[in-house]
Amino acid sequence: MAKHIFVTGGVASSLGKGLTCASIGMLLEQRGLRVRLQKFDPYINVDPGTMSPYQHGEVYVLDDGAETDLDLGHYERFTQAPLTRDCNYTTGKIYLSVIQKEREGRYYEGKTVQVIPHVTDEIKEAIHRLASDDVDVVITEIGGTVGDIEGLPFLEAIRQFALDVGRENCLYIHLTLVVYLKAAGELKTKPTQHSVGALRQIGIQPDVLICRTEHPISAEDKDKIALFCNVERKAVIEERDKQFSIYEVPLSLVHHGLDEILVKRLGLKTRPLDLDDWSAMVERIKNPKQEVRIAVVGKYMKHRDAYKSVYEALDHAGIANRARVLVERVEAEEVGSRGAEAILGGVDGILVPGGFGMRGIEGKIEAIRFARTHEIPYFGICLGMQCAVVEFAREVLGLEDANSTEFDPATDHPVIWLMEEQQSVRQRGGTMRLGSWPCDLAPESLARAAYGTDQIAERHRHRYEFNNAYRRAFEENGLVATGTSPDGTIVEIVELLDHPWFVAVQFHPEFKSKPTRAHPLFREFVAAALRQREASRTVASIELEAEVGAS
């Protein structure tokens, strides 16, 4: 029988439950166990696909096309566990399934459909789906904070779950905040006590407390937490903010003995923990040999999580190149109003990520023009590719009103237009071109050199595509399609000839990058930016020598 670990949160949101689950999953995998992870989100949306990035951060897309919470990105970056649409459930998705069963009239045998037992049974069934014979441990994260009314059915379900499978097969971890009062100059444990009290009123006694804190927790405070929360003293785990990287979290949890507690409490038979590769990777983060400045020009820069996977993939590329990547987050609208030279002058590389809607488009196009004409390494992702196509059409092909039909349906030159299969789509949720699709790479291309293979598969999330009616004109003028769908009809990658490094892709490569295995395109983009930085330094040195000689 698979063992189950349930992770809840208290006192405040955004404490890092997703990172904690991902770290635990990685530690158990490194002990030779087979792990699956999933998250329950209490909101009513069926998935985050229709939500603004300002509401819930980025939408993380899986191979099977599921639009999921960004915490699944943490799961995938830290572990090798397979992720599918069964790994992310919302209240909306649970209730939709219950209502569909009720409408069919054969599942509930004429009974009144209620939260208990029918909704909670649906939640428990979702947990059981991951607990197949080839899985040792299922880790389930409950989104939100204990005390939120919308999370009660999920907490009730995981309480019942222990009765179904046996308490010896379940372990509850509560992630909480130990508050520091600056005026008093001390930590306060009372909010944690109240949070655990609320959990115990529901019927869940946590086995482990992971205490997020900005300051060290004294032995006296740990004793107090253990006593009032009815948790073993050794199971009160201090988790301080990390100085360098989130990838330090697993090492910190091991330092406090969490993996040993989990293995012993669940009766797991494992091999010794091996973190040599992970520790070496963290050391590379702490001790880079060089640094590079990358400007990310986007539409949702006020919310860091809106481009979470992009930032992580840049960090991974920095690790691979033994470099610290200094990300400059640039609002596209600001580029449009102040000009690219004023904002982007001096950066070593420019990346334009995805997005939807008209706002900021002209600023993105201006940033791309700056990268193209100043020979600065450029990486475009999804909308970043479409804007690169529009910019090239206007400035090089002379099609002054060239545009995407997303922004100007009446344009005379729709170089980007709505995909044919999207033209009859009316519903917004889950209807884009989603999930993993194959792509053939052209020989002698930058993409082929980066991947080291002729065919790849990458994840997509878009409705608009390159208009093939203009493809010949683009290629005759130097912007070449170097990646296409196997039948050649969908342009997936474009590259600019006679440029140090200019690659734009329709897909989202950031979703498949890991700290121990940087995505090939991100790796090569950062490498190109490092070469740009070195070349700029050389030019500056020569100019300085010339000035000194002249004087």
Side-chain angles (χ1 to χ4, degrees), residues 418-490:
L418 189 65
M419 304 181 76
E420 184 176 353
E421 66 261 29
Q422 290 289 320
Q423 293 181 16
S424 61
V425 172
R426 294 295 175 265
Q427 283 196 321
R428 298 290 91 179
T431 57
M432 284 186 273
R433 184 172 184 249
L434 294 166
S436 182
W437 293 84
C439 170
D440 289 345
L441 304 180
E444 310 302 323
S445 64
L446 292 171
R448 172 64 178 78
Y451 282 100
T453 185
D454 294 325
Q455 188 177 80
I456 58 171
E458 293 281 6
R459 298 175 191 175
H460 296 67
R461 187 173 184 255
H462 65 107
R463 298 185 192 278
Y464 293 81
E465 65 175 344
F466 183 95
N467 186 344
N468 281 310
Y470 294 87
R471 185 163 163 183
R472 182 174 178 180
F474 275 94
E475 297 195 337
E476 287 176 349
N477 285 274
L479 190 67
V480 179
T482 60
T484 65
S485 57
D487 62 4
T489 60
I490 299 177

Side-chain angles (χ1 to χ4, degrees), residues 2-22:
K3 305 290 186 175
H4 292 268
I5 297 175
F6 297 103
V7 180
T8 58
V11 180
S13 59
S14 301
L15 294 181
K17 292 193 299 297
L19 277 173
T20 300
C21 291

